[in-house]
Every structure is written in C-alpha cells, then in structure tokens.
Amino acid sequence: MPEKKRNAEEKLELLSQAVSKGWAKAHPVPEKLKGLVKETVSKQLQDEKKLTEEQRQQRVHEEQRKSSAEQAQQSEQQRRQERRR
Amino acid sequence: MESLIELVWKYQRASTDEERNPYASEIVDRVYPRLSRFIRSRVKQASTDDVLQEIFKAIFKRMSFVQAQTSESFLSWVYTIARGQVAESFRGRKTTQSTIADPKVLEEALAHLRVEGGISESDLSDLHVALDLLKAADYPCLGWLWDSYVNELSFVIMAEEAGIKEDAMRKRVKRCLELAEKLANK
C-alpha cells in the first residue's frame, strides 16, 4: 500500500501521538506520587464521613464557586500577560 | 474501557478505601502523562515533581465535590487546579509565566519509540518535518502550537486559560500553523 502523504497539520498530529506514546513510556507514574494519592484518598474519606448531607451539598456548591473563580482569575492573569507582551 | 468521567463517578460513589483506591489509581494513570507534560512546559524541570505532587493532592482533596458531566469538563477542572498550583509556585517571583517549549521533551519521548522500533522511516521523516515546523514558530505562536500538539490540550482548555472563545483559539492555532509552515518552507 502506498505511504500516505500528510499535510502539515497531519504531521503535527502524528508528532502529538508519537510524543504521547513515548512520553508515557519514558515517564511512568512515580511510586512516591502513588503513595501520596493513596494517603490523600484515605484521609479525605475519613473527613467526608464526618459530613452531614447538608454539609456535603454545601461543599459541592463551594467547589463550583471556587473552580469558577479560579478559572476567571487565571484568564484575567493571562490577558494581562498578553497585553504586557 | 471505561471513560475518564465514568471512573470519576465511580470514585465519587465509592464509600471505602478499598473501593476508591483502584479508581483513584486508574484516574492517576490516565491523567499523569498529559499533566506531567503540561507541567514540564510551565515550570522549571527541577520543580516539576513537587508541583505535580501538590496538584494531585489538591485533585483528590476536591474530587468528591466536583460535578463534572463529561471527561472534557473533568479535565478542564483538573487543568484549572494545575494552573493554580503553577501560579502558586511562581508566587513572589518577578517572572512571567509562559509555555516553555523544550525540544528535549520531544527528543526524549521519540527516542523511547525509536528504541522499540515503533516508527517507520516515512513516519520518522514526517516527524522531523513536524519538529522543524515547531522550531520555525516563534512566541506566542510556538506556545499555542506546543500546547495543542505536544501537550494535547483541547481548544476548550486552551481557550479557558486565555479567556477567549473556543473558536477564537481554534483560529489562532490554525493561523499559527500556516505561519509556521511558511517560515519552515522559506
């Protein structure tokens, strides 16, 4: 079968796939990080067990607010940086 | 194979360590490779491990309360946390945050594939052309092309960071690609 002729975008997509594959092999998840996640999951579960359903719902709302605020702040920061460049 | 968002929902429904840990581990396996690449292009190499640890700690502290409906919106939440931690690592320093396009990242990743013989000659030649395209690009274009093609960030996530619409970001990347192609062919 003849080799496929790729345009520039397709060549970059090929690069993207190759990097993704190669990077995962070159950088496996460190054991230290796995341990840290396990520890965080366990501690978090203990804390969550103490929450009432109402407190839990409150945390869900807080997370939504926090995440939206963080995103807005980051966008503003980025726009300021772009204006400075 | 379960999608990322299905793993997140199962994690959220689980009520014991034994139930949660396998989902947590699978989520880390799926998110770590792209997130580590993203962080490597945002902070100095020496700090990447520390920043990544803080990011994953924050993700799992908040994981039970996030209400994502799709894998994409979950990833968007993850990158918001990641960018916050990157900003935190820069706090107090007079440095401008930008994308660090380090060719070593590409060489390192491609070397692993070459060792395994996973690339054909024609693919290798196309990969070199793609590398030349990136080398021909300049900032800010290089940063956007890098985020799109090396860091595999979606246009939605890139647009959120830039505070613009998804379609505007798509057009930016397209224009940058055309410009890089012209420069590489000069």
Side-chain angles (χ1 to χ4, degrees):
Chain A
M1 211 168 81
E3 294 280 3
K4 188 184 179 247
K5 275 273 207 198
R6 298 183 178 97
N7 62 26
E9 192 177 355
E10 288 166 337
K11 282 172 190 162
L12 278 169
E13 270 158 17
L14 179 75
L15 180 74
S16 182
Q17 288 161 17
V19 169
S20 171
K21 224 165 130 185
W23 182 270
K25 286 183 197 297
H27 300 272
V29 182
E31 289 304 318
K32 196 177 168 191
L33 182 69
K34 287 183 188 171
L36 177 91
V37 167
K38 215 167 171 183
E39 200 181 293
T40 310
V41 167
S42 182
K43 191 176 176 305
Q44 192 56 32
L45 188 63
Q46 294 313 311
D47 291 347
E48 284 168 30
K49 279 182 178 165
K50 293 175 198 153
L51 298 176
T52 61
E53 188 46 37
E54 198 184 334
Q55 285 169 327
R56 211 189 133 70
Q57 284 308 316
Q58 208 179 332
R59 291 286 299 272
V60 170
H61 293 307
E62 275 169 22
E63 179 54 48
Q64 259 175 334
R65 271 200 303 270
K66 191 176 175 184
S67 178
S68 304
E70 283 170 342
Q71 210 175 78
Q73 193 190 7
Q74 289 166 9
S75 301
E76 182 48 38
Q77 200 177 7
Q78 182 79 8
R79 274 195 292 264
R80 274 206 305 265
Q81 277 191 16
E82 277 188 28
R83 277 198 297 268
R84 250 183 270 150
R85 279 185 193 134
Chain B
M1 192 167 77
E2 285 163 309
S3 66
L4 184 58
I5 195 63
E6 282 170 331
L7 291 169
V8 172
W9 292 335
K10 284 186 176 171
Y11 173 93
Q12 290 176 329
R13 282 197 296 265
S15 55
T16 63
D17 275 357
E18 291 71 28
E19 276 182 277
R20 275 191 175 183
N21 279 326
Y23 297 127
S25 168
E26 183 66 28
I27 292 166
V28 173
D29 284 346
R30 303 253 190 116
V31 173
Y32 180 82
R34 50 166 71 206
L35 207 50
S36 59
R37 221 151 59 229
F38 173 76
I39 294 305
R40 176 81 183 266
S41 72
R42 290 297 192 279
V43 301
K44 282 188 180 153
Q45 200 180 343
S47 333
T48 52
D49 285 351
D50 290 344
V51 174
L52 278 162
Q53 280 184 24
E54 289 307 313
I55 292 169
F56 278 98
K57 217 159 128 183
I59 290 173
F60 283 97
K61 270 187 177 177
R62 296 164 61 176
M63 180 79 106
S64 300
F65 309 109
V66 61
Q67 284 202 309
Q69 303 300 317
T70 61
S71 298
E72 175 75 29
S73 60
F74 172 70
L75 279 174
S76 158
W77 176 78
V78 164
Y79 279 100
T80 301
I81 292 177
R83 287 192 296 261
Q85 290 296 335
V86 169
E88 190 64 35
S89 77
F90 277 92
R91 200 174 290 277
R93 283 193 265 162
K94 285 182 179 171
T95 328
T96 308
Q97 291 175 51
S98 61
T99 307
I100 308 160
D102 180 1
K104 266 191 249 157
V105 168
L106 301 180
E107 285 154 20
E108 209 179 88
L110 296 182
H112 265 261
L113 287 182
R114 246 182 248 132
V115 168
E116 293 181 354
I119 316 176
S120 73
E121 280 305 307
S122 76
D123 281 358
L124 202 57
S125 143
D126 282 353
L127 287 173
H128 281 297
V129 176
L131 278 172
D132 288 343
L133 276 171
L134 286 177
K135 282 179 191 161
D138 207 349
Y139 285 99
C141 267
L142 177 58
W144 295 325
L145 289 173
W146 195 272
D147 274 346
S148 180
Y149 291 103
V150 179
N151 289 338
E152 283 185 289
L153 295 190
S154 68
F155 291 123
V156 173
I157 291 172
M158 287 172 68
E160 276 169 3
E161 182 173 18
I164 59 172
K165 295 249 184 323
E166 181 192 353
D167 201 44
M169 182 49 85
R170 192 188 303 274
K171 283 178 187 156
R172 265 188 191 183
V173 173
K174 193 170 180 281
R175 273 199 305 271
C176 285
L177 181 59
E178 286 163 0
L179 187 65
E181 214 177 347
K182 268 187 206 159
L183 290 170
N185 289 333
K186 255 188 183 173

